[in-house]
Each structure stands twice: as structure tokens, then as C-alpha cells.
Amino acid sequence: MKKYNYIAITFAFLSLTGCGDGIDLPSLGVETDLNKIILPDNNINLIQVELKDNSVPMEKVGIHSEEDFARIREKKDVEEPWITGYQMLKESSFSQKGTDTYPVAYIVRGTAVTIDGATVGENYINAARGASIAYQQALRWKIENDDEYAAKAVENLNKWVQTCVGVTGNSNVSLAAGLYGYEFAIAGQLLREYRGWEPEDFLAFQQWLLKVFYPANKDFLVRHHDTNHLHYWANWGLCNIASTIAIGIVTDRRDIYNEGIEHFQSGVTNGRLRRAIYHDYSPEYNFAQWQESGRDQGHTLMCVGLVGVICQLAWSQGDDFFAYDDNLFLRGCEYAACCNYTEETVPFTTYIWQKHNQWNGISPEEQTVVGGGKWMKRAIWALPYYHYKSIKNISDEKLKYTKIATEYVGVEGGGGYYDPNSGGYDVLGFGTLMFAR
């Protein structure tokens, strides 16, 4: 198979009508009012996390620290919820020493494409599972100090590096690049200290992330498929920010990391934190409304999970987005948790997303679009709950609904435990095991 660079292979097959989660494009003659969307006032104290100079080295830590693993080793056999969390990891089919991954030459999402005269259908689930497998095997290595898990995880990552040369499809290529870019990067970061990962192979892994995923991440955040910058829902921007940050960490590229941090604070897409979390109701209510809250709850919860990942990755580098805007993310968690795991009502600010189309309230429980309705279990709550409760010492009163969500979901599993389709792999999971304090 021929090798193509990202831009050539992606946009040769780009179908602008197959936008997946996007809105119909203005370029197709559809009338839109995107420029009239009422945005929150983002000009007041916008930059709250100062960018470090590009010469400042990255910390050699990703989403989990050695302190996390020391805590788990101490508690995994003697105390809940670590006992159950560890048991779930051990029982996962993905975390076993013999579990293989199945790399593809091109990660395809959104539509079938033609490559070298052959039709290649959607196969992005291979990447979703591949990243989850490497991550879970890496966790077991770190917890159990058994090099066989690391050896298998590295073998699986090396296979992807040696096989995969691009991401393609229609505009949904941006979702594939964002989601699997950040997940592969996190898995690789966990394994970088394994002595059995040959230096040249780890370097090849870093270069693979920089060639296959990062260009697509940057292209979306800068160009967003030549659409209005508010065209794509928040989850698109968030996953590409997460990937940019994670890749910056594992490749020791402060400049790339800073691109993600900068966009999270002041970027033009709905991935900007104050656009992803669209309306803040404080101090009257301890709530903040998500940009996708009127759309469906599946994508809203996806945003909760992605912001959690971004905040945790940045936290590992000494940058505190959990505290951004007086704990804005906490109020977003409270809002989404109240909507999804109680019958209580929340305030709602109308969101106009297309001419003659607007959301006037929370998506109905019977919502049947791809994202789904409420009461879904997603492994996204333990991370913010334990951070705000045990690190920030936030009161139970302020964490009322996030606690309800955490208890409703229960001890969190990871890839393979939830939806077998893409939604079950939007986060790597095992939050209870990794973040409980």
C-alpha cells in the first residue's frame, strides 16, 4: 500500500455532506444563523492559566502519576473501592497478557473510502479498542510490576506504528484523530519508562503520533473543514484539544502542548472551555449549562469526560483547569449530573444553532439520536468527583449531583465494559481505581 501524507489522503475522500455530528454546511446553501449565536462574555479574565515558555521541559507524567499507582498498590487488596476497581481491570478481556490488537493502514471514520482501488469501510473501532488494550495492559504493568504486561502493550503499540499511516473518511476524520490520538498518547506515556521498549521504537511511536494524529488535530482547530468556527459541536474541539495536549506531553513538545492549552482558553471553536460550557448560572445556582445539553445527553456526557481528561492532563503539568473560572468545570458536572441522574429540573438558556432551529430545554429522555437520552452509564465521574472532593476539599453540598452520578455509575470499568460502539470508548475509563482517594 502506498503511503500518503495526512492532508492528501484525508481530503481526497472528504465528503462535506457526511458531517456526522456537524450541521449542514453553509457552503451547501443552507441558511444558518451561526454568526448570531449569543456567546458568553469571553473577554473578561480569559487567560487564567499562563503558558510556560516553549523552552520549559515537559514533566514526564501523563494522566496518572506514580503517586496514583503507589496508592493503588497499597489498597487494591484491602480496601474498597480499589478492590472492586482492580478486580474489574483484571477481569477485562483487554488487559490480559495475550490480548492482541489489530492495526489498520488507515483509520477510517464517517464513510467508506477508496484506497489503491479497494473500498475500505469504517474501521475506527480497531483504533478505539487498540488504544484501550494498550492502556489496560499498561495499567496492569504499573500496578503489578509484571513486565509481561508492558511487553505485550509495547508489542501492540509497535504494530500500530508499523502499520498505520493515516486517518481518513469524511469530516468525521477529526473525531478519529482527536479521540484515538489522545488515547494512544496516554497509553504510550504510561509505558515510556519500560526498559523493554527500545529507544528507537519509542521514538518511532512519538513520530507516529506527530505524523498521523497531530496534523489532523491542528487542522481541525485552525481550519475546521472551512466552516464557520461554531459549526461543529463542542465534543469535536474538545477531543482534538485533548489529543494535542496528550501528544505534546508524550513527545516532549511544549510548543504543541501550549497550542492545546491556548485553544482551551481562547480558541474560536466550541472546544473553548467557556463555549463547551455555554452558560454559567453562578452564583444563583451551582450549575453551568453545556453547549450540547439541548442536543442529547450522550454527547453532553462525552464533553464531561473529555474536559475531565484535559483538566487531568494539564494538572499533571502543573496547570490547574479544575479551578478555572472559580471551578467552572464543577458547575458543569453538577448540571449534567442533575440532568442525567435525577428527575429534578435545571435552568436552561436557549441555544440557537441554525435558522429556525434552537434548543429551548434539556434534550428529552426519549431522545433517540446517536447520542441517546439520560440514565446512561459512562466512566467519566470518578475523575472530577475525587479531584474536587479530596484534592480541592469541596463540600458535599457543592458536589451533590456529581456524587449522585458517581454512585449511580458505580465502580467504573473501561473500554469493553460499556457501549460496544464508539461511545463506549470515548474515554479510557477505570476512573474509580485510578482517582479514588
Side-chain angles (χ1 to χ4, degrees), residues 59-362:
E59 298 291 335
K60 296 292 193 296
V61 59
I63 201 166
H64 306 306
S65 67
E66 185 53 42
E67 178 186 350
D68 294 329
F69 289 107
R71 179 179 62 251
I72 294 162
R73 293 185 202 109
E74 176 186 348
K75 296 178 179 292
K76 65 182 176 63
D77 297 319
V78 297
E79 187 176 347
E80 292 289 5
W82 296 274
I83 293 173
T84 300
Y86 177 51
Q87 190 64 31
M88 291 179 73
L89 175 63
K90 289 197 299 181
E91 292 176 353
S92 170
S93 63
F94 286 5
S95 75
Q96 307 308 307
K97 293 178 180 178
T99 303
D100 290 304
T101 185
Y102 299 95
V104 293
Y106 290 97
I107 300 169
V108 181
R109 182 159 180 163
T111 186
V113 298
T114 301
I115 301 175
D116 290 344
T119 300
V120 181
E122 288 190 287
N123 58 20
Y124 61 88
I125 203 68
N126 289 52
R129 291 171 180 157
S132 289
I133 288 167
Y135 172 74
Q136 293 182 31
Q137 290 168 334
L139 288 186
R140 293 198 68 176
W141 169 61
K142 293 288 290 184
I143 294 169
E144 300 173 28
N145 292 314
D146 184 339
D147 284 354
E148 291 186 28
Y149 290 106
K152 189 62 179 181
V154 164
E155 175 189 320
N156 281 326
L157 290 181
N158 285 343
K159 287 179 182 177
W160 276 94
V161 173
Q162 295 158 9
T163 304
C164 181
V165 296
V167 288
T168 186
N170 57 21
S171 60
N172 284 272
V173 67
S174 296
L175 291 175
L179 292 170
Y180 315 129
Y182 96 75
E183 291 179 341
F184 275 120
I186 286 175
Q189 177 68 32
L190 281 173
L191 292 157
R192 69 182 300 167
E193 295 179 359
Y194 170 55
R195 294 181 179 180
W197 201 352
E198 297 296 334
E200 60 269 24
D201 289 337
F202 178 66
L203 178 60
F205 173 76
Q206 292 176 308
Q207 293 302 311
W208 178 65
L209 294 174
L210 290 171
K211 292 178 180 178
V212 171
F213 296 99
Y214 169 64
N217 302 146
K218 184 168 185 174
D219 184 72
F220 178 81
L221 295 175
V222 173
R223 192 179 63 84
H224 28 272
H225 302 290
D226 294 325
T227 66
N228 183 290
H229 53 259
L230 300 179
H231 175 82
Y232 289 94
W233 312 124
N235 72 84
W236 290 65
L238 290 172
C239 69
N240 282 282
I241 291 169
S243 184
T244 301
I245 290 173
I247 290 172
I249 293 172
V250 75
T251 61
D252 303 311
R253 290 282 301 274
R254 172 72 63 178
D255 58 325
I256 292 176
Y257 172 85
N258 280 346
E259 288 175 8
I261 295 299
E262 184 174 33
H263 197 99
F264 197 45
Q265 296 185 93
S266 58
V268 297
T269 75
N270 284 316
R272 183 198 294 188
L273 182 55
R274 280 181 172 157
R275 291 181 179 175
I277 301 178
Y278 172 69
H279 189 89
D280 188 4
Y281 293 98
S282 68
E284 185 176 2
Y285 301 104
N286 189 37
F287 286 142
Q289 176 182 323
W290 294 84
Q291 188 252 353
E292 304 206 42
S293 290
R295 181 190 179 199
D296 65 72
Q297 294 312 300
H299 287 100
T300 302
L301 296 184
M302 181 182 178
C303 290
V304 174
L306 289 170
V307 171
V309 167
I310 292 168
C311 289
Q312 186 64 28
L313 286 168
W315 176 260
S316 76
Q317 301 300 312
D319 295 327
D320 189 359
F321 281 104
F322 289 103
Y324 187 93
D325 206 3
D326 192 23
N327 301 326
L328 175 65
F329 180 39
L330 181 152
R331 294 191 292 281
C333 289
E334 286 290 280
Y335 189 92
C338 184
C339 293
N340 279 276
Y341 306 112
T342 79
E343 297 294 348
E344 298 180 35
T345 59
V346 294
F348 190 90
T349 299
T350 296
Y351 187 89
I352 301 171
W353 57 271
Q354 192 177 20
K355 189 171 184 179
H356 308 307
N357 289 283
Q358 63 187 36
W359 294 321
N360 298 309
I362 296 298

